[in-house]
Amino acid sequence: MKRILVVEDEASIREMVALNLKLAGWEVVEAPSAERALEQLHAGEPCDAALLDIMLPGMDGLSLCETIRRDDPDIGIIIVSAKGQEQDKIRGLSIGADDYITKPFSVSELIARVEALVRRVRRSAPDGRVAEPDQLVSGPFVLDEKSRVLYKAGRPIDLTQVEFQIMQLFFKNPGTALVREKILEGVWGKGYFGDVKIVDVNIRRLRMKVEDEPSNPQHILTVWGYGYRWNA
């Protein structure tokens, strides 16, 4: 069964979200604080996804996001922010969140987001077996689809699931200018509720990892007014 961590200090919201996720087939782990969430993550079975409210007592949701991502590069993370917290959304994406949703949100939208996120994280064959390992090579870079690690001149670079999928898209379209909307659809899926800013944030994060000089990128190039192009 799919397992999700829900971290929300308002009991009524947490219980409502948990109930609807359970009805949708999820095993739900509830936590009223970041500290309790970390205790449960360390003590129990791993989670496929985490839904983190930003405004929490004690450690906030952004610090929790960073801590979880440092320990688990594979878990899908959605942060929950209030309207007007644009900088919090950007920071959350920069430190490892895969998506964000704004309060107030509909339960159907939330479940759709969570399901879409986990589908992206679980790249498996139709019969449930993990797909056969493969490697994509582009210049000095090797993208290992089994370990989901990027290598640059033999040096491993750990990627989040979203970063990995963006690199897959680049490697399969070398030298091609990809419009932001194509990247959004290719990684986040059709019907994604968010906007293209999430692409730009992840590109900035990728440049910090793959470029020798992120301020003067040589591999992930900006096509002004359009999108991005991969150059090995």
Short mmCIF file of all heavy atoms in Angstrom, two decimals, residues 63-131:
data_model
loop_
_atom_site.label_atom_id
_atom_site.label_comp_id
_atom_site.label_asym_id
_atom_site.label_seq_id
_atom_site.Cartn_x
_atom_site.Cartn_y
_atom_site.Cartn_z
N SER A 63 12.27 23.77 6.86
CA SER A 63 13.42 23.09 7.46
C SER A 63 13.19 21.58 7.49
O SER A 63 14.11 20.79 7.27
CB SER A 63 13.66 23.60 8.88
OG SER A 63 13.97 24.98 8.87
N LEU A 64 11.95 21.18 7.73
CA LEU A 64 11.61 19.76 7.71
C LEU A 64 11.81 19.19 6.31
O LEU A 64 12.36 18.09 6.15
CB LEU A 64 10.16 19.57 8.16
CG LEU A 64 9.61 18.14 8.09
CD1 LEU A 64 10.42 17.21 8.97
CD2 LEU A 64 8.14 18.12 8.49
N CYS A 65 11.37 19.93 5.30
CA CYS A 65 11.56 19.50 3.91
C CYS A 65 13.03 19.26 3.62
O CYS A 65 13.41 18.23 3.05
CB CYS A 65 10.98 20.55 2.96
SG CYS A 65 11.34 20.26 1.22
N GLU A 66 13.86 20.20 4.01
CA GLU A 66 15.30 20.09 3.77
C GLU A 66 15.88 18.87 4.47
O GLU A 66 16.71 18.15 3.90
CB GLU A 66 15.99 21.37 4.24
CG GLU A 66 17.40 21.54 3.77
CD GLU A 66 17.92 22.94 4.04
OE1 GLU A 66 17.37 23.63 4.92
OE2 GLU A 66 18.87 23.34 3.35
N THR A 67 15.46 18.62 5.69
CA THR A 67 15.96 17.48 6.46
C THR A 67 15.53 16.16 5.84
O THR A 67 16.34 15.24 5.68
CB THR A 67 15.46 17.56 7.92
OG1 THR A 67 15.88 18.78 8.50
CG2 THR A 67 15.99 16.40 8.74
N ILE A 68 14.26 16.07 5.46
CA ILE A 68 13.76 14.83 4.84
C ILE A 68 14.47 14.56 3.52
O ILE A 68 14.88 13.44 3.24
CB ILE A 68 12.23 14.91 4.63
CG1 ILE A 68 11.51 14.92 5.97
CG2 ILE A 68 11.74 13.75 3.77
CD1 ILE A 68 10.01 15.14 5.86
N ARG A 69 14.61 15.62 2.72
CA ARG A 69 15.26 15.42 1.41
C ARG A 69 16.71 14.99 1.57
O ARG A 69 17.22 14.17 0.78
CB ARG A 69 15.17 16.72 0.60
CG ARG A 69 15.87 16.66 -0.75
CD ARG A 69 15.32 15.55 -1.64
NE ARG A 69 14.02 15.88 -2.17
CZ ARG A 69 13.06 14.98 -2.37
NH1 ARG A 69 13.25 13.72 -2.06
NH2 ARG A 69 11.89 15.35 -2.87
N ARG A 70 17.39 15.52 2.56
CA ARG A 70 18.79 15.13 2.79
C ARG A 70 18.90 13.64 3.12
O ARG A 70 19.83 12.97 2.70
CB ARG A 70 19.36 15.98 3.92
CG ARG A 70 20.87 15.80 4.12
CD ARG A 70 21.44 16.89 5.00
NE ARG A 70 20.77 16.98 6.29
CZ ARG A 70 20.08 18.04 6.72
NH1 ARG A 70 19.96 19.11 5.96
NH2 ARG A 70 19.51 18.04 7.92
N ASP A 71 17.90 13.14 3.84
CA ASP A 71 17.92 11.73 4.25
C ASP A 71 17.36 10.79 3.19
O ASP A 71 17.71 9.61 3.15
CB ASP A 71 17.12 11.54 5.55
CG ASP A 71 17.77 12.22 6.74
OD1 ASP A 71 18.99 12.49 6.67
OD2 ASP A 71 17.06 12.50 7.73
N ASP A 72 16.45 11.29 2.35
CA ASP A 72 15.76 10.43 1.39
C ASP A 72 15.56 11.16 0.07
O ASP A 72 14.65 11.97 -0.07
CB ASP A 72 14.41 10.01 1.97
CG ASP A 72 13.69 8.99 1.09
OD1 ASP A 72 14.14 8.74 -0.04
OD2 ASP A 72 12.67 8.43 1.56
N PRO A 73 16.43 10.90 -0.92
CA PRO A 73 16.30 11.59 -2.21
C PRO A 73 15.11 11.11 -3.05
O PRO A 73 14.76 11.74 -4.03
CB PRO A 73 17.63 11.27 -2.91
CG PRO A 73 18.05 9.97 -2.31
CD PRO A 73 17.60 10.00 -0.89
N ASP A 74 14.48 9.99 -2.65
CA ASP A 74 13.44 9.40 -3.48
C ASP A 74 12.02 9.75 -3.08
O ASP A 74 11.10 9.64 -3.88
CB ASP A 74 13.57 7.86 -3.46
CG ASP A 74 14.89 7.40 -4.06
OD1 ASP A 74 15.37 8.05 -5.01
OD2 ASP A 74 15.45 6.39 -3.58
N ILE A 75 11.80 10.17 -1.85
CA ILE A 75 10.44 10.47 -1.39
C ILE A 75 9.88 11.68 -2.15
O ILE A 75 10.59 12.63 -2.45
CB ILE A 75 10.42 10.72 0.14
CG1 ILE A 75 8.99 10.84 0.66
CG2 ILE A 75 11.24 11.95 0.50
CD1 ILE A 75 8.90 10.91 2.17
N GLY A 76 8.60 11.61 -2.48
CA GLY A 76 7.94 12.75 -3.11
C GLY A 76 7.47 13.73 -2.05
O GLY A 76 6.83 13.32 -1.08
N ILE A 77 7.79 15.01 -2.20
CA ILE A 77 7.45 16.00 -1.19
C ILE A 77 6.59 17.12 -1.78
O ILE A 77 6.96 17.73 -2.79
CB ILE A 77 8.71 16.63 -0.55
CG1 ILE A 77 9.57 15.55 0.12
CG2 ILE A 77 8.33 17.70 0.46
CD1 ILE A 77 10.88 16.09 0.68
N ILE A 78 5.45 17.37 -1.14
CA ILE A 78 4.59 18.50 -1.50
C ILE A 78 4.52 19.42 -0.29
O ILE A 78 4.22 18.96 0.82
CB ILE A 78 3.17 18.05 -1.88
CG1 ILE A 78 3.20 17.12 -3.10
CG2 ILE A 78 2.28 19.26 -2.16
CD1 ILE A 78 1.84 16.58 -3.49
N ILE A 79 4.80 20.70 -0.49
CA ILE A 79 4.68 21.66 0.60
C ILE A 79 3.35 22.41 0.46
O ILE A 79 2.87 22.63 -0.65
CB ILE A 79 5.86 22.65 0.65
CG1 ILE A 79 6.03 23.39 -0.67
CG2 ILE A 79 7.14 21.95 1.06
CD1 ILE A 79 7.05 24.51 -0.60
N VAL A 80 2.78 22.77 1.60
CA VAL A 80 1.51 23.48 1.64
C VAL A 80 1.76 24.89 2.15
O VAL A 80 2.33 25.08 3.23
CB VAL A 80 0.51 22.77 2.57
CG1 VAL A 80 -0.83 23.52 2.58
CG2 VAL A 80 0.30 21.33 2.14
N SER A 81 1.37 25.88 1.36
CA SER A 81 1.60 27.27 1.76
C SER A 81 0.29 28.05 1.70
O SER A 81 -0.66 27.65 1.02
CB SER A 81 2.63 27.94 0.83
OG SER A 81 2.10 28.07 -0.47
N ALA A 82 0.25 29.15 2.43
CA ALA A 82 -0.90 30.04 2.37
C ALA A 82 -0.76 30.97 1.17
O ALA A 82 0.34 31.14 0.63
CB ALA A 82 -1.02 30.86 3.66
N LYS A 83 -1.85 31.57 0.74
CA LYS A 83 -1.79 32.50 -0.38
C LYS A 83 -0.83 33.65 -0.05
O LYS A 83 -0.79 34.12 1.08
CB LYS A 83 -3.17 33.07 -0.68
CG LYS A 83 -4.06 32.12 -1.47
CD LYS A 83 -5.34 32.80 -1.90
CE LYS A 83 -6.17 31.88 -2.80
NZ LYS A 83 -7.43 32.53 -3.21
N GLY A 84 -0.08 34.08 -1.04
CA GLY A 84 0.84 35.20 -0.85
C GLY A 84 2.21 34.80 -0.38
O GLY A 84 3.10 35.65 -0.29
N GLN A 85 2.44 33.53 -0.09
CA GLN A 85 3.75 33.08 0.38
C GLN A 85 4.62 32.62 -0.79
O GLN A 85 5.15 31.52 -0.80
CB GLN A 85 3.60 31.96 1.42
CG GLN A 85 2.95 32.42 2.72
CD GLN A 85 2.80 31.27 3.70
OE1 GLN A 85 2.42 30.18 3.33
NE2 GLN A 85 3.10 31.53 4.96
N GLU A 86 4.74 33.48 -1.79
CA GLU A 86 5.46 33.11 -3.01
C GLU A 86 6.91 32.75 -2.72
O GLU A 86 7.44 31.77 -3.27
CB GLU A 86 5.40 34.27 -4.00
CG GLU A 86 5.90 33.90 -5.40
CD GLU A 86 4.95 32.96 -6.12
OE1 GLU A 86 3.77 32.90 -5.77
OE2 GLU A 86 5.43 32.27 -7.04
N GLN A 87 7.58 33.52 -1.87
CA GLN A 87 8.98 33.24 -1.57
C GLN A 87 9.14 31.92 -0.85
O GLN A 87 10.14 31.21 -1.04
CB GLN A 87 9.58 34.38 -0.74
CG GLN A 87 9.76 35.68 -1.51
CD GLN A 87 10.59 35.49 -2.77
OE1 GLN A 87 11.66 34.89 -2.74
NE2 GLN A 87 10.09 35.99 -3.89
N ASP A 88 8.17 31.57 -0.01
CA ASP A 88 8.23 30.27 0.67
C ASP A 88 8.12 29.12 -0.32
O ASP A 88 8.80 28.10 -0.20
CB ASP A 88 7.11 30.16 1.70
CG ASP A 88 7.40 30.98 2.95
OD1 ASP A 88 8.57 31.31 3.18
OD2 ASP A 88 6.45 31.30 3.68
N LYS A 89 7.26 29.29 -1.33
CA LYS A 89 7.12 28.26 -2.35
C LYS A 89 8.44 28.07 -3.10
O LYS A 89 8.91 26.94 -3.31
CB LYS A 89 6.03 28.65 -3.36
CG LYS A 89 4.63 28.72 -2.78
CD LYS A 89 3.68 29.27 -3.82
CE LYS A 89 2.29 29.50 -3.26
NZ LYS A 89 1.39 30.14 -4.25
N ILE A 90 9.04 29.19 -3.50
CA ILE A 90 10.29 29.13 -4.26
C ILE A 90 11.39 28.51 -3.42
O ILE A 90 12.16 27.67 -3.88
CB ILE A 90 10.69 30.54 -4.76
CG1 ILE A 90 9.68 31.02 -5.80
CG2 ILE A 90 12.10 30.52 -5.33
CD1 ILE A 90 9.87 32.45 -6.22
N ARG A 91 11.47 28.92 -2.14
CA ARG A 91 12.49 28.35 -1.28
C ARG A 91 12.26 26.84 -1.10
O ARG A 91 13.19 26.05 -1.11
CB ARG A 91 12.48 29.04 0.09
CG ARG A 91 13.63 28.53 0.97
CD ARG A 91 13.60 29.07 2.37
NE ARG A 91 14.47 28.28 3.23
CZ ARG A 91 14.34 28.14 4.52
NH1 ARG A 91 13.34 28.75 5.14
NH2 ARG A 91 15.16 27.39 5.22
N GLY A 92 11.00 26.46 -0.92
CA GLY A 92 10.69 25.04 -0.75
C GLY A 92 11.12 24.21 -1.94
O GLY A 92 11.72 23.14 -1.79
N LEU A 93 10.85 24.70 -3.14
CA LEU A 93 11.27 23.99 -4.35
C LEU A 93 12.79 23.96 -4.46
O LEU A 93 13.38 22.97 -4.92
CB LEU A 93 10.67 24.66 -5.58
CG LEU A 93 9.14 24.59 -5.68
CD1 LEU A 93 8.65 25.48 -6.81
CD2 LEU A 93 8.68 23.16 -5.88
N SER A 94 13.44 25.02 -4.01
CA SER A 94 14.90 25.11 -4.10
C SER A 94 15.60 24.13 -3.18
O SER A 94 16.71 23.70 -3.46
CB SER A 94 15.36 26.54 -3.78
OG SER A 94 14.85 27.47 -4.71
N ILE A 95 14.96 23.79 -2.05
CA ILE A 95 15.63 22.91 -1.09
C ILE A 95 15.15 21.47 -1.17
O ILE A 95 15.53 20.65 -0.34
CB ILE A 95 15.46 23.42 0.36
CG1 ILE A 95 13.98 23.46 0.76
CG2 ILE A 95 16.11 24.78 0.53
CD1 ILE A 95 13.74 23.93 2.18
N GLY A 96 14.33 21.16 -2.16
CA GLY A 96 14.02 19.75 -2.36
C GLY A 96 12.58 19.35 -2.51
O GLY A 96 12.30 18.18 -2.79
N ALA A 97 11.63 20.27 -2.35
CA ALA A 97 10.23 19.90 -2.57
C ALA A 97 10.00 19.65 -4.06
O ALA A 97 10.65 20.25 -4.92
CB ALA A 97 9.29 21.00 -2.08
N ASP A 98 9.07 18.74 -4.36
CA ASP A 98 8.75 18.42 -5.75
C ASP A 98 7.58 19.24 -6.27
O ASP A 98 7.44 19.44 -7.47
CB ASP A 98 8.41 16.93 -5.87
CG ASP A 98 9.57 16.04 -5.47
OD1 ASP A 98 10.59 16.06 -6.17
OD2 ASP A 98 9.47 15.35 -4.44
N ASP A 99 6.73 19.69 -5.37
CA ASP A 99 5.53 20.41 -5.78
C ASP A 99 5.03 21.22 -4.58
O ASP A 99 5.50 21.06 -3.46
CB ASP A 99 4.46 19.42 -6.23
CG ASP A 99 3.37 20.05 -7.09
OD1 ASP A 99 3.40 21.28 -7.28
OD2 ASP A 99 2.47 19.32 -7.54
N TYR A 100 4.08 22.11 -4.84
CA TYR A 100 3.45 22.85 -3.75
C TYR A 100 1.97 23.01 -4.04
O TYR A 100 1.53 22.94 -5.19
CB TYR A 100 4.10 24.21 -3.54
CG TYR A 100 3.97 25.17 -4.72
CD1 TYR A 100 2.81 25.91 -4.90
CD2 TYR A 100 5.00 25.33 -5.63
CE1 TYR A 100 2.68 26.78 -5.98
CE2 TYR A 100 4.88 26.19 -6.70
CZ TYR A 100 3.72 26.91 -6.87
OH TYR A 100 3.59 27.77 -7.94
N ILE A 101 1.20 23.19 -2.99
CA ILE A 101 -0.22 23.44 -3.13
C ILE A 101 -0.58 24.56 -2.16
O ILE A 101 0.01 24.68 -1.08
CB ILE A 101 -1.04 22.17 -2.85
CG1 ILE A 101 -2.51 22.37 -3.23
CG2 ILE A 101 -0.90 21.71 -1.40
CD1 ILE A 101 -3.31 21.07 -3.27
N THR A 102 -1.51 25.42 -2.56
CA THR A 102 -1.84 26.61 -1.78
C THR A 102 -3.15 26.43 -1.04
O THR A 102 -4.13 25.94 -1.60
CB THR A 102 -1.92 27.83 -2.71
OG1 THR A 102 -0.68 28.00 -3.39
CG2 THR A 102 -2.22 29.08 -1.92
N LYS A 103 -3.17 26.82 0.24
CA LYS A 103 -4.42 26.84 1.01
C LYS A 103 -5.26 28.05 0.59
O LYS A 103 -4.69 29.11 0.33
CB LYS A 103 -4.11 26.96 2.51
CG LYS A 103 -3.53 25.73 3.15
CD LYS A 103 -3.30 25.99 4.64
CE LYS A 103 -2.77 24.77 5.36
NZ LYS A 103 -2.55 25.03 6.81
N PRO A 104 -6.58 27.92 0.57
CA PRO A 104 -7.33 26.66 0.75
C PRO A 104 -7.29 25.83 -0.53
O PRO A 104 -7.25 26.38 -1.63
CB PRO A 104 -8.75 27.15 1.04
CG PRO A 104 -8.84 28.46 0.32
CD PRO A 104 -7.47 29.07 0.39
N PHE A 105 -7.28 24.51 -0.39
CA PHE A 105 -7.24 23.64 -1.55
C PHE A 105 -8.40 22.65 -1.47
O PHE A 105 -8.94 22.38 -0.40
CB PHE A 105 -5.91 22.87 -1.61
CG PHE A 105 -5.57 22.15 -0.33
CD1 PHE A 105 -6.14 20.92 -0.02
CD2 PHE A 105 -4.66 22.69 0.57
CE1 PHE A 105 -5.82 20.25 1.15
CE2 PHE A 105 -4.33 22.04 1.75
CZ PHE A 105 -4.92 20.80 2.04
N SER A 106 -8.77 22.11 -2.63
CA SER A 106 -9.82 21.10 -2.65
C SER A 106 -9.17 19.74 -2.42
O SER A 106 -8.02 19.51 -2.81
CB SER A 106 -10.55 21.11 -4.00
OG SER A 106 -9.72 20.62 -5.02
N VAL A 107 -9.91 18.85 -1.80
CA VAL A 107 -9.39 17.51 -1.53
C VAL A 107 -9.10 16.78 -2.84
O VAL A 107 -8.09 16.08 -2.96
CB VAL A 107 -10.40 16.71 -0.68
CG1 VAL A 107 -9.97 15.25 -0.57
CG2 VAL A 107 -10.51 17.32 0.71
N SER A 108 -9.96 16.95 -3.83
CA SER A 108 -9.74 16.27 -5.11
C SER A 108 -8.45 16.73 -5.78
O SER A 108 -7.71 15.93 -6.36
CB SER A 108 -10.93 16.50 -6.04
OG SER A 108 -11.13 17.89 -6.28
N GLU A 109 -8.17 18.04 -5.69
CA GLU A 109 -6.92 18.54 -6.26
C GLU A 109 -5.72 17.97 -5.52
O GLU A 109 -4.73 17.55 -6.12
CB GLU A 109 -6.87 20.07 -6.21
CG GLU A 109 -5.55 20.63 -6.75
CD GLU A 109 -5.41 22.13 -6.59
OE1 GLU A 109 -6.39 22.79 -6.20
OE2 GLU A 109 -4.31 22.64 -6.85
N LEU A 110 -5.80 17.94 -4.19
CA LEU A 110 -4.71 17.42 -3.39
C LEU A 110 -4.42 15.96 -3.75
O LEU A 110 -3.26 15.59 -3.99
CB LEU A 110 -5.05 17.52 -1.90
CG LEU A 110 -4.06 16.83 -0.95
CD1 LEU A 110 -2.69 17.45 -1.04
CD2 LEU A 110 -4.59 16.85 0.48
N ILE A 111 -5.44 15.14 -3.81
CA ILE A 111 -5.24 13.72 -4.11
C ILE A 111 -4.67 13.56 -5.52
O ILE A 111 -3.78 12.73 -5.76
CB ILE A 111 -6.56 12.94 -3.93
CG1 ILE A 111 -6.93 12.91 -2.45
CG2 ILE A 111 -6.43 11.52 -4.49
CD1 ILE A 111 -8.27 12.28 -2.16
N ALA A 112 -5.15 14.36 -6.47
CA ALA A 112 -4.62 14.29 -7.83
C ALA A 112 -3.14 14.65 -7.85
O ALA A 112 -2.34 14.00 -8.55
CB ALA A 112 -5.41 15.24 -8.74
N ARG A 113 -2.76 15.66 -7.09
CA ARG A 113 -1.35 16.06 -7.03
C ARG A 113 -0.48 14.95 -6.44
O ARG A 113 0.60 14.64 -6.94
CB ARG A 113 -1.19 17.32 -6.18
CG ARG A 113 -1.81 18.57 -6.74
CD ARG A 113 -0.85 19.29 -7.68
NE ARG A 113 -1.32 20.63 -7.93
CZ ARG A 113 -0.74 21.74 -7.50
NH1 ARG A 113 0.34 21.68 -6.78
NH2 ARG A 113 -1.24 22.91 -7.81
N VAL A 114 -0.97 14.38 -5.33
CA VAL A 114 -0.21 13.33 -4.66
C VAL A 114 -0.06 12.11 -5.57
O VAL A 114 1.03 11.54 -5.70
CB VAL A 114 -0.89 12.93 -3.32
CG1 VAL A 114 -0.21 11.71 -2.72
CG2 VAL A 114 -0.83 14.09 -2.33
N GLU A 115 -1.14 11.70 -6.20
CA GLU A 115 -1.09 10.53 -7.08
C GLU A 115 -0.15 10.77 -8.26
O GLU A 115 0.62 9.89 -8.64
CB GLU A 115 -2.50 10.20 -7.58
CG GLU A 115 -3.48 9.75 -6.51
CD GLU A 115 -3.24 8.32 -6.05
OE1 GLU A 115 -2.32 7.66 -6.57
OE2 GLU A 115 -3.99 7.85 -5.17
N ALA A 116 -0.22 11.97 -8.83
CA ALA A 116 0.66 12.29 -9.97
C ALA A 116 2.12 12.28 -9.54
O ALA A 116 2.99 11.81 -10.27
CB ALA A 116 0.27 13.64 -10.56
N LEU A 117 2.39 12.80 -8.36
CA LEU A 117 3.76 12.85 -7.86
C LEU A 117 4.31 11.45 -7.67
O LEU A 117 5.43 11.14 -8.09
CB LEU A 117 3.80 13.61 -6.53
CG LEU A 117 5.15 13.64 -5.80
CD1 LEU A 117 6.23 14.26 -6.68
CD2 LEU A 117 5.02 14.39 -4.49
N VAL A 118 3.54 10.57 -7.06
CA VAL A 118 4.03 9.22 -6.80
C VAL A 118 4.17 8.42 -8.10
O VAL A 118 5.08 7.60 -8.23
CB VAL A 118 3.12 8.50 -5.79
CG1 VAL A 118 3.51 7.04 -5.63
CG2 VAL A 118 3.22 9.20 -4.44
N ARG A 119 3.32 8.68 -9.08
CA ARG A 119 3.50 8.03 -10.38
C ARG A 119 4.83 8.42 -11.00
O ARG A 119 5.51 7.60 -11.62
CB ARG A 119 2.36 8.40 -11.33
CG ARG A 119 1.08 7.63 -11.10
CD ARG A 119 0.15 7.73 -12.30
NE ARG A 119 -0.20 9.10 -12.61
CZ ARG A 119 -1.24 9.73 -12.09
NH1 ARG A 119 -2.02 9.11 -11.22
NH2 ARG A 119 -1.52 10.97 -12.43
N ARG A 120 5.23 9.68 -10.82
CA ARG A 120 6.52 10.12 -11.36
C ARG A 120 7.67 9.47 -10.61
O ARG A 120 8.67 9.09 -11.21
CB ARG A 120 6.64 11.65 -11.25
CG ARG A 120 5.67 12.41 -12.09
CD ARG A 120 6.15 13.84 -12.30
NE ARG A 120 6.39 14.54 -11.07
CZ ARG A 120 5.48 15.25 -10.40
NH1 ARG A 120 4.24 15.27 -10.83
NH2 ARG A 120 5.80 15.90 -9.30
N VAL A 121 7.52 9.34 -9.30
CA VAL A 121 8.59 8.77 -8.49
C VAL A 121 8.75 7.29 -8.77
O VAL A 121 9.86 6.77 -8.81
CB VAL A 121 8.31 9.02 -6.99
CG1 VAL A 121 9.27 8.24 -6.12
CG2 VAL A 121 8.41 10.51 -6.67
N ARG A 122 7.63 6.60 -8.96
CA ARG A 122 7.67 5.15 -9.19
C ARG A 122 7.69 4.85 -10.67
O ARG A 122 6.66 4.58 -11.28
CB ARG A 122 6.44 4.48 -8.57
CG ARG A 122 6.43 4.50 -7.04
CD ARG A 122 5.19 3.78 -6.56
NE ARG A 122 5.22 3.53 -5.14
CZ ARG A 122 4.30 2.83 -4.49
NH1 ARG A 122 3.29 2.33 -5.15
NH2 ARG A 122 4.40 2.65 -3.19
N ARG A 123 8.86 4.89 -11.26
CA ARG A 123 9.01 4.55 -12.67
C ARG A 123 9.17 3.04 -12.77
O ARG A 123 10.26 2.49 -12.64
CB ARG A 123 10.25 5.24 -13.25
CG ARG A 123 10.15 6.75 -13.27
CD ARG A 123 9.21 7.22 -14.37
NE ARG A 123 9.17 8.67 -14.44
CZ ARG A 123 8.58 9.34 -15.43
NH1 ARG A 123 7.99 8.72 -16.40
NH2 ARG A 123 8.59 10.66 -15.42
N SER A 124 8.07 2.32 -12.98
CA SER A 124 8.15 0.86 -13.01
C SER A 124 7.51 0.32 -14.27
O SER A 124 6.76 1.01 -14.98
CB SER A 124 7.45 0.27 -11.79
OG SER A 124 6.11 0.70 -11.73
N ALA A 125 7.81 -0.92 -14.57
CA ALA A 125 7.27 -1.59 -15.74
C ALA A 125 5.79 -1.87 -15.52
O ALA A 125 5.32 -1.89 -14.39
CB ALA A 125 8.02 -2.89 -16.00
N PRO A 126 5.00 -2.16 -16.60
CA PRO A 126 3.57 -2.36 -16.45
C PRO A 126 3.19 -3.48 -15.50
O PRO A 126 2.13 -3.43 -14.89
CB PRO A 126 3.12 -2.68 -17.90
CG PRO A 126 4.13 -2.01 -18.77
CD PRO A 126 5.42 -2.12 -18.01
N ASP A 127 4.01 -4.53 -15.40
CA ASP A 127 3.67 -5.64 -14.53
C ASP A 127 4.13 -5.41 -13.11
O ASP A 127 4.05 -6.30 -12.26
CB ASP A 127 4.25 -6.95 -15.06
CG ASP A 127 5.77 -6.92 -15.13
OD1 ASP A 127 6.37 -5.88 -14.78
OD2 ASP A 127 6.36 -7.94 -15.51
N GLY A 128 4.69 -4.21 -12.81
CA GLY A 128 5.10 -3.89 -11.46
C GLY A 128 6.58 -4.09 -11.20
O GLY A 128 7.11 -3.65 -10.19
N ARG A 129 7.28 -4.79 -12.12
CA ARG A 129 8.71 -4.96 -11.95
C ARG A 129 9.43 -3.67 -12.30
O ARG A 129 9.01 -2.94 -13.19
CB ARG A 129 9.24 -6.09 -12.86
CG ARG A 129 8.76 -7.46 -12.49
CD ARG A 129 9.32 -8.52 -13.44
NE ARG A 129 8.77 -8.35 -14.79
CZ ARG A 129 9.44 -7.83 -15.80
NH1 ARG A 129 10.67 -7.37 -15.62
NH2 ARG A 129 8.88 -7.73 -16.99
N VAL A 130 10.53 -3.40 -11.62
CA VAL A 130 11.31 -2.22 -11.94
C VAL A 130 11.86 -2.38 -13.34
O VAL A 130 12.30 -3.46 -13.74
CB VAL A 130 12.46 -2.03 -10.93
CG1 VAL A 130 13.34 -0.87 -11.34
CG2 VAL A 130 11.90 -1.83 -9.53
N ALA A 131 11.83 -1.31 -14.13
CA ALA A 131 12.29 -1.37 -15.50
C ALA A 131 13.77 -1.77 -15.57
O ALA A 131 14.53 -1.54 -14.64
CB ALA A 131 12.10 0.00 -16.18
#
